[in-house]
Amino acid sequence: MKKRILPRKWMITALLLVAFLGGSMTAFGETSTDVKLEINGSLVASDVAPLIKNEYTLVPARAVFEALGGKVGWDAQSYIVTVSYDDTQVVLTIDSNIAQVNGENKTMQVPAEIIDDRTMIPVRFVGESLGFEIGWDDATRTVSVDSPAGEDQEEAPPVIYGSVNGISLQKGSSKSQNTIITITGDAPLTSGGDYEPLSLSEPDRFVVDFSGFTLGSSAAASQSFQHEDSAVSSVRANQMEEDVVRIVVDLKEATTPTVSLSSDKKTLTLTFRQLSTYFKPMDDGKLVVALDPGHGASTGGKRSPDGSLLEYEFNRAVAYKVRDLLQAQGVEVLMTVNGDEDTSLAERCEIANNSDADIFVSIHANAFGSGSEWTSPTGWEIYYYATSALGKQLAQSIHDATMPESGMKDRGIKTSNFYVIKNTVMPAVLIEHGFYTNEEEVELLKSDAWRSKMAQYDAQGIMDFFNAHM
Ligand SMILES: [Zn+2]
């Protein structure tokens, strides 16, 4: 494929213009090329003249929009022209009538084209999308492009509402509030528009920009934070633009803080959870287990073929027994669901992730087949998320407490991408305590004595895991 390039230089080459007019006019059919171009009141010529195609004027992209202070990009692989000015970006694909203006699809009457090795774009569509004024003088056949009113004068100085005068780093006393960063301003931090938090990677960072602010001299430009259980390694502040202060939080892992603004809007607090790879469950003086009994009364399916057992009911009953056993050992228990409701998986994870839970244990029973007939599979199994070494240890521990004492068929320790074990930040497992689609095993699942026994194994495995990490 022939490589196309955009003109890199503003060239006033009368000779070329003449050659172009003379040589190419008839080849374009309904195209006329006797068009003049005026930019901010001055008549200009480029090496390729504007032309009118089906009543729409096409102009050379780089020559026109760079002269106006815009930026023009060209992707030769995908034939994409990008024109940006201020906060607006227009993306055009050669020979396509669909353009994107700040990501939104718009239809143009004529597409951008490559003519005589130059990228020609519809001036009215692109210009107006970028806020320029486009005019047409029929008598002189002149197309004019003007910067927005006032733009060709001196730019107005940026408005400064106040300064960011304090950035402090503090160690919290719990897993969910491990590291607290407080940013204070002498004016509401939202004065120049909403602050803009942003997660960046490679390396992992969390960034907040405050428009309309300067960095006060009392605010530290850089602070490092030396706590092995903190996700934060340092905080930096700089005057990114004349009127924008940027706060950068350097992170040891990708994590998002809870962001809160004080009622007077002068203080923004970023609260980071404990580093997920750090695991010393008694560090904050308490052991906390998030118990997640699966499903709810309204969950479709999830019942024995004869309808005598709903899975959620079994899950709840076992979870409450596990809760009582753990509480008797002095462990705090957080339930991700209450009553019969079917809380969404995302919400279950959020509840656990916003808590001080050390581990997450999801309690389920298994099913096989369509659910309308009894099937033969039986047995017990446990899942962890493949990349979690601690999740694997927790699974091993609960497995070993259950097997072989329970007499259940051992289906083993497995990995999976189940939502709740993937999206929780602490070591997490999901236990399948036997099959309610098996006619014999469902009778066990319905038995209160058997449920108590399974709960005891679960609780024992959890305590064994904690004891190994004290
Ligand atoms: Zn289930």
Side-chain angles (χ1 to χ4, degrees):
M1 189 178 282
K2 193 180 170 191
K3 274 225 161 140
R4 311 276 187 180
I5 46 158
L6 276 178
R8 295 211 164 263
K9 279 188 184 144
W10 181 253
M11 290 192 287
I12 305 173
T13 317
L15 207 67
L16 255 176
L17 184 59
V18 169
F20 177 71
L21 290 172
S24 311
M25 248 181 94
T26 49
F28 291 121
E30 311 166 60
T31 305
S32 68
T33 54
D34 59 335
V35 179
K36 294 184 202 71
L37 174 66
E38 202 181 271
I39 294 178
N40 282 337
S42 309
L43 211 53
V44 294
S46 68
D47 60 343
V48 177
L51 57 90
I52 293 178
K53 190 150 195 188
N54 303 327
E55 294 173 34
Y56 291 88
T57 309
L58 299 179
V59 298
R62 205 181 283 278
V64 172
F65 287 98
E66 286 188 347
L68 287 156
K71 285 201 180 105
V72 179
W74 170 242
D75 179 343
Q77 232 91 71
S78 25
Y79 275 43
I80 288 173
V81 193
T82 308
V83 187
S84 44
Y85 183 77
D86 266 3
D87 296 337
T88 309
Q89 187 185 57
V90 181
V91 179
L92 308 163
T93 307
I94 298 301
D95 297 330
S96 163
N97 280 59
I98 309 296
Q100 280 89 43
V101 179
N102 282 346
E104 201 182 311
N105 281 354
K106 305 261 184 183
T107 305
M108 301 178 291
Q109 299 306 313
V110 289
E113 282 184 47
I114 292 179
I115 295 171
D116 203 37
D117 255 10
R118 292 292 177 263
T119 307
M120 303 294 284
I121 62 176
V123 67
R124 185 174 293 277
F125 176 83
V126 176
E128 289 182 348
S129 297
L130 295 173
F132 295 106
E133 285 193 37
I134 313 299
W136 171 250
D137 181 359
D138 210 27
T140 58
R141 297 191 64 75
T142 302
V143 62
S144 61
V145 187
D146 291 293
S147 297
E151 282 275 329
D152 38 3
Q153 274 98 50
E154 193 94 323
E155 244 187 80
V159 182
I160 303 294
Y161 299 93
S163 58
V164 171
N165 51 20
I167 302 157
S168 78
L169 260 153
Q170 222 187 310
K171 189 69 172 57
S173 58
S174 68
K175 289 149 204 142
S176 58
Q177 306 194 348
N178 177 278
T179 305
I180 299 149
I181 298 172
T182 311
I183 301 158
T184 48
D186 55 9
L189 292 165
T190 48
S191 303
D194 232 347
Y195 54 86
E196 291 174 34
L198 186 67
S199 288
L200 301 174
S201 58
E202 293 179 4
D204 293 311
R205 283 155 294 158
F206 187 80
V207 166
V208 194
D209 288 342
F210 300 98
S211 293
F213 277 81
T214 55
L215 187 61
S217 54
S218 58
S222 178
Q223 303 174 66
S224 69
F225 201 56
Q226 317 266 356
H227 291 273
E228 58 170 339
D229 61 337
S230 174
V232 175
S233 56
S234 61
V235 179
R236 295 173 282 135
N238 68 79
Q239 192 76 48
M240 197 181 58
E241 285 171 36
E242 213 178 332
D243 60 339
V244 179
V245 170
R246 167 165 282 194
I247 310 284
V248 180
V249 181
D250 294 307
L251 299 168
K252 295 177 197 162
E253 68 181 0
T255 181
T256 311
T258 308
V259 181
S260 68
L261 192 62
S262 64
S263 54
D264 66 1
K265 300 185 173 171
K266 291 182 179 175
T267 304
L268 189 79
T269 308
L270 311 177
T271 306
F272 288 86
R273 221 195 127 75
Q274 176 179 289
L275 186 65
S276 72
T277 50
Y278 180 90
F279 193 73
K280 286 185 184 152
M282 268 311 259
D283 256 12
D284 56 358
K286 57 188 181 181
L287 297 171
V288 184
V289 176
L291 284 180
D292 176 51
H295 318 297
S298 58
T299 313
K302 306 292 177 191
R303 65 194 62 211
S304 61
D306 61 358
S308 63
L309 178 68
L310 297 185
E311 188 195 329
Y312 96 94
E313 189 264 320
F314 168 84
N315 299 340
R316 296 288 196 282
V318 172
Y320 292 141
K321 288 175 187 291
V322 175
R323 175 194 62 192
D324 294 347
L325 290 164
L326 291 173
Q327 284 175 341
Q329 304 271 331
V331 173
E332 272 186 39
V333 174
L334 170 82
M335 304 294 290
T336 60
V337 289
N338 286 304
D340 292 345
E341 66 201 43
D342 188 1
T343 307
S344 74
L345 299 179
E347 216 176 313
R348 291 164 187 260
C349 294
E350 204 181 304
I351 289 167
N353 290 346
N354 291 330
S355 78
D356 289 336
D358 295 292
I359 63 170
F360 180 94
V361 178
S362 193
I363 292 175
H364 286 255
N366 222 338
F368 185 81
S370 67
S372 58
E373 287 162 26
W374 297 115
T375 50
S376 58
T378 59
W380 183 100
E381 62 196 18
I382 189 164
Y383 290 90
Y384 67 97
Y385 186 59
T387 56
S388 172
L390 286 160
K392 185 180 185 177
Q393 291 171 25
L394 177 59
Q396 185 75 52
S397 186
I398 297 173
H399 170 271
D400 293 353
T402 309
M403 298 295 165
E405 274 72 18
S406 65
M408 296 284 288
K409 176 182 174 182
D410 183 2
R411 300 173 67 91
I413 300 166
K414 302 174 174 178
T415 59
S416 96
N417 287 332
F418 290 139
Y419 190 95
V420 293
I421 57 174
K422 183 180 178 182
N423 292 288
T424 39
V425 298
M426 59 289 297
V429 292
L430 186 147
I431 313 168
E432 297 280 13
H433 295 85
F435 284 76
Y436 53 82
T437 45
N438 180 273
E439 201 166 4
E440 285 80 50
E441 207 153 80
V442 75
E443 294 309 319
L444 290 177
L445 290 165
K446 286 193 268 186
S447 145
D448 186 63
W450 188 83
R451 290 173 178 181
S452 294
K453 215 168 81 165
M454 297 313 286
Q456 246 155 31
Y457 299 135
D458 291 348
Q460 186 59 51
I462 289 167
M463 292 314 296
D464 291 346
F465 173 75
F466 278 144
N467 286 324
H469 289 279
M470 297 295 213

